[in-house]
Amino acid sequence: MIIQGNFYRIEPINDTSPLWDLYLLRKVNSKTNPREEFQLEGYGMPLDSAIGRIIRYAINSKYGKDEITTLKEYLNVFKQIKEEIYKEVGR
C-alpha cells in the first residue's frame, strides 16, 4: 500500500512493519529535462513523524526560506495544514 497526496508519498518499509519511507515532491533543475519528482526524505519513520515532516515541508514551501514569522503564526499555520491533511483522509 502507498499513501500519496499532492506533494508527498509514504510507503511502508515492508508488509508487517509499522515504519514508513517518506518521499516529497521536489523540483529537479536540469538543463535538458527540468521536472518534479518524488525524492526520498526519510526512511524507517513512524507514521506520525512522517506526517509532521509533511506539514513542516508544506509550511516551508508556503513561506520563503528567509521569511521571519512568530511562533504563534507558525503554530497556527501548522494546525491549519494538519487539519487540511486530516480532512483529505476524512478524519
Side-chain angles (χ1 to χ4, degrees), residues 15-77:
D15 291 341
T16 60
S17 177
L19 301 177
W20 301 79
D21 291 342
L22 172 64
Y23 297 84
L24 295 174
L25 192 62
R26 298 281 187 179
K27 290 181 182 176
V28 177
N29 295 324
S30 170
K31 291 181 181 179
T32 58
N33 186 20
R35 64 196 179 281
E36 289 186 333
E37 65 182 36
F38 285 105
Q39 295 181 352
L40 182 64
E41 294 292 325
Y43 54 92
M45 306 173 70
L47 188 57
D48 58 337
S49 294
I51 292 171
R53 286 184 79 169
I54 290 168
I55 294 168
R56 287 188 295 277
Y57 176 76
I59 291 171
N60 289 334
S61 296
K62 185 174 183 174
Y63 294 100
K65 179 181 173 185
D66 297 326
E67 189 169 335
I68 297 173
T69 186
T70 64
L71 181 58
K72 181 178 180 179
E73 177 65 23
Y74 178 86
L75 293 175
N76 286 338
V77 173

